[in-house]
Structures are given as C-alpha cells and as structure tokens.
Amino acid sequence: MTTFTSHQLVLTAIGEDKPGIVSELTQLVSESNCNIIDSRIAILGNEFTFIMLLSGDMAAISRVEHTLPVKSVELGLMTMMKRTSSHTENEYGAGYTLEYSGLDTQGTLSRVTRFFAEQNISICSLKSDTYDEQGEMHMSCLLEFNTPSELDFDKFKEKFEELSGISNVHYVFRRIR
C-alpha cells in the first residue's frame, strides 16, 4: 500500500482513560488494512481522546467503519468517523509558532483565536493548559500557524503586541518554515 491512498477517514474516540485502548484501536486499523497517516492523543480530565487520520482503499475504509462500532462498545468509547480526502496545502508565506503564557483569565484564548481569524490566518495546531503556580492559576498556549503570502508580519506582530497587553500575556513567535 502506498503512503497516501485516495480514500481517507478521520476517526475520533473519547472515553474513560484505561490501559490498552490505543493498542486495541491501532490493531483494528491494522487488521482492516488501513494506514495511520496522522494521530493525536490527549487526556482531558479523566477522558482519553484519540484522533487518527487513516488511509486505505475503499474496502479497508469500509471495514473500519463497520467494525469500529462493536469495538467502541467493548471499550466503552464514544466514536465518530468522517470520510475525507488528502489535504492540499494552501499557498502561504511562512509558518510560525506562537507560545504565550500568563495569569489564567477568562476569554484569553477566545481573543487570540478571534485575532487570528480577523487576520485571515488558519491555526494548524493548538495546545493549551492551565496550572497552579504559588496559589494562582496560570495558563499557557502553543499555536502553530501559516501566514498568507500577503501578510505584513511586522504589522501583525504590532497588533498582537496590543492584544498581549490587553490580555496580560508574555509571548514568543518562532518561524518554523
């Protein structure tokens, strides 16, 4: 099988965290003759979350779609599947990460993501956390994003500097591509 087959499936599984879930799901995918192109795992509260992008021929994708519901019940998982196609990269000027942190205040992530949307910037990945530091709740966030070719990055940074002041966060941009 080639790395990227024309048929793809996004599979999401959520359930109580317990050992062996990843093994069971990846075995089901392998036995169905699908390839895992991309995957993410996170523990959110006491819930295990697993997202996979699978590729395979039509028969392999159909096998996953038909066998996963039974396996989900066995494992106590809620699952969702959606067929998709290969992602085509849009033209972009550069790729960056933004890492920011500060006191945990309501609405910070919402303001940051709205700012990115207003600048016509798509977020590729996002991870945010809260943590207790000396009795105060703090938050941190790491975003990866691609900028449109026409974006004036210096003006973008100036506007973000204003937002960071309002939101009381410290931040660092890093170019990654």
Side-chain angles (χ1 to χ4, degrees), residues 11-24:
L11 184 156
T12 303
I14 302 170
E16 186 178 343
D17 184 31
K18 52 189 168 190
I21 296 174
V22 174
S23 175
E24 292 284 340

Side-chain angles (χ1 to χ4, degrees), residues 115-128:
F115 172 79
F116 274 72
E118 290 168 352
Q119 306 302 312
N120 198 32
I121 295 174
S122 293
I123 297 170
C124 305
S125 70
L126 183 150
K127 181 179 185 337
S128 65

Side-chain angles (χ1 to χ4, degrees), residues 10 43 46 75 92 96 98 171:
V10 176
I43 304 300
N46 193 38
L75 297 172
Y92 61 88
Y96 294 88
L98 164 64
Y171 69 93

